[in-house]
Amino acid sequence: MKKIIYIFTLLISFAGFSQFGIEAGYTSSKAKLSGGNASITTDAVSGFGVGLLYGIEVSDMFKLETGFRFGFATVDGESSNSWGIPLTGKVYFGEGGFHLRPGLSYSSTMEDVDTSLVKKGAFSGSIGLGYDISEKFVILTHYATQLSNSAGPDLGEGVKLKGSGFVVGLQFFF
């Protein structure tokens, strides 16, 4: 965790051109537990997310975004809230506002969980598309999948627990 905060601080400190912003969006996610020849997939869970953004212009065709996000959802009447630190690239296509959004993130649950069954945090990779409506507004969508296994040691050897999700959001830069 200290390394993630250190990298986040370096990105903010050494940026020549940067923008601060906020974001909000709809999320839909599900989890898959697999081991051996069997697997179980949960029903999709909907929620919403909000966050603070920090955009860094590397060149006219490439930008980086990082920030701090919160996700809010309810699973079987129980809250399932989380926080995350993303690092997203924005690769622009020509002169328009369309861009490809590859990214990596670390997220962690804010709930009290039995860590012998499930780990609190996980790394994810994402791919998506975005469009700059103006210099201040961006609409985006992306699909993310967990890269690390969230299964705790008590679930047994060879058992994998991973999540995936879909996001549609709007960003506003100051």
Side-chain angles (χ1 to χ4, degrees), residues 1-6 68 83 85 106:
M1 183 65 192
K2 289 180 184 179
K3 290 179 183 179
I4 293 171
I5 292 172
Y6 180 71
F68 198 76
W83 62 267
I85 299 174
Y106 176 80

Side-chain angles (χ1 to χ4, degrees), residues 78-132:
E78 300 285 326
S79 66
S80 180
N81 303 327
S82 62
W83 62 267
I85 299 174
L87 178 61
T88 304
K90 294 171 70 172
V91 182
Y92 285 84
F93 304 110
E95 296 296 318
F98 283 104
H99 54 275
L100 184 66
R101 300 179 59 86
L104 293 171
S105 65
Y106 176 80
S107 60
S108 179
T109 182
M110 294 189 307
E111 307 306 324
D112 186 26
V113 296
D114 183 351
T115 55
S116 65
L117 296 176
V118 62
K119 296 175 185 170
K120 286 190 78 106
F123 286 96
S124 298
S126 65
I127 189 73
L129 294 172
Y131 179 71
D132 295 353

